[in-house]
Amino acid sequence: MVEGNLEKIRGFSDFDEAASYILQILSKQAGMNSFYIAKQENGAQKIVKVHNTKHHLIEEGEAAPLPCMLSALSIEHGAQALIIERIGEHELTRSLGVTDGFETGCFIGVPIFYEDGSSYGTVCGLDDGPCELPADLPFIFETLATLLTYVLELERAYGEIESLAAPMVPIVGRVAILPIIGEVKALRAQAIIDHAMPCTVVQKKASKCW
């Protein structure tokens, strides 16, 4: 099912839209109540996107202690999925002091990284009761986290294009220059091509771009 949705996810240029869709996919793959994305800001975690199924364990925009601590643990754990089948008994969580009501609950989380290796945050699943997690769930989480990285980089590339200090500058006839500032990676190069090509179709249309 996940493979059938990859192309659709790659078509998203907006992280918020892609994140909502990915959480919906996860809700159909795992029998957990809540799926969320937490963003790391100044060393703290903030929940930016949530998909609850049965009841609202988590709300968008909050910094709930347990989900945010679990997100931080997932980042510290590394690139592979962190799976906690019983929050009240696991060595990483039993002494947190904020697990009331989640003792028999379960958690899975995977970090979301930028291409330069820095952390955006995590994509996570959480339930306040026991769960039977599919054997391939870690792979699904890791794959979707990688796709979110792709969308983040694409969004960043378009942001850099839009923030160029100067527009396309006509020189003579159909010749123009496009000032480019900063490092050009594959995604940004494609964004530059997508931005410039419509201006070269015909001279009449090009004049509008300039």
Side-chain angles (χ1 to χ4, degrees):
M1 181 178 176
V2 172
E3 291 181 2
N5 288 282
L6 297 188
E7 289 305 318
K8 185 171 182 179
I9 295 169
R10 290 191 181 101
F12 293 139
S13 59
D14 179 84
F15 181 81
D16 188 71
E17 184 180 2
S20 294
Y21 185 69
I22 280 175
L23 294 185
Q24 290 177 34
I25 292 175
L26 289 173
S27 72
K28 296 176 182 178
Q29 297 294 309
M32 303 178 78
N33 185 82
S34 300
F35 300 87
Y36 65 97
I37 291 174
K39 183 177 181 180
Q40 183 170 268
E41 294 180 335
N42 300 319
Q45 307 292 321
K46 181 180 179 181
I47 298 167
V48 296
K49 188 63 61 177
V50 174
H51 182 86
N52 293 297
T53 54
K54 299 175 183 177
H55 54 281
H56 283 217
L57 286 179
I58 311 169
E59 299 292 342
E60 286 185 18
E62 66 179 13
L66 182 60
C68 288
M69 285 185 176
L70 292 172
S71 180
L73 287 175
S74 180
I75 292 174
E76 293 172 5
H77 182 71
Q80 293 185 332
L82 170 63
I83 300 174
I84 299 175
E85 294 184 353
R86 291 182 68 90
I87 292 173
E89 298 177 5
H90 196 279
E91 60 181 355
L92 293 176
T93 52
R94 63 188 173 210
S95 61
L96 288 179
V98 292
T99 60
D100 290 348
F102 286 86
E103 289 85 356
T104 62
C106 56
F107 169 82
I108 180 170
V110 176
I112 304 168
F113 294 108
Y114 290 102
E115 278 191 349
D116 62 8
S118 60
S119 173
Y120 169 87
T122 53
V123 54
C124 306
L126 177 66
D127 205 306
D128 56 356
C131 304
E132 291 187 13
L133 303 180
D136 61 348
L137 193 60
F139 170 76
I140 293 171
F141 263 81
E142 290 164 11
T143 300
L144 294 178
T146 299
L147 286 168
L148 283 172
T149 294
Y150 174 89
V151 177
L152 279 172
E153 290 297 331
L154 187 62
E155 194 172 60
R156 176 186 278 183
Y158 275 105
E160 290 176 344
I161 289 294
E162 292 175 357
S163 64
L164 287 174
M168 189 174 287
V169 181
I171 302 300
V172 60
R174 298 186 180 183
V175 179
I177 60 173
L178 176 65
I180 297 175
I181 301 171
E183 185 178 1
V184 179
K185 294 183 179 179
L187 285 175
R188 189 181 178 199
Q190 185 59 53
I192 291 171
I193 293 171
D194 293 342
H195 171 76
M197 285 302 293
C199 298
T200 62
V201 176
V202 293
Q203 188 171 6
K204 184 176 181 180
K205 290 184 178 180
S207 63
K208 294 180 182 179
C209 300
W210 301 336

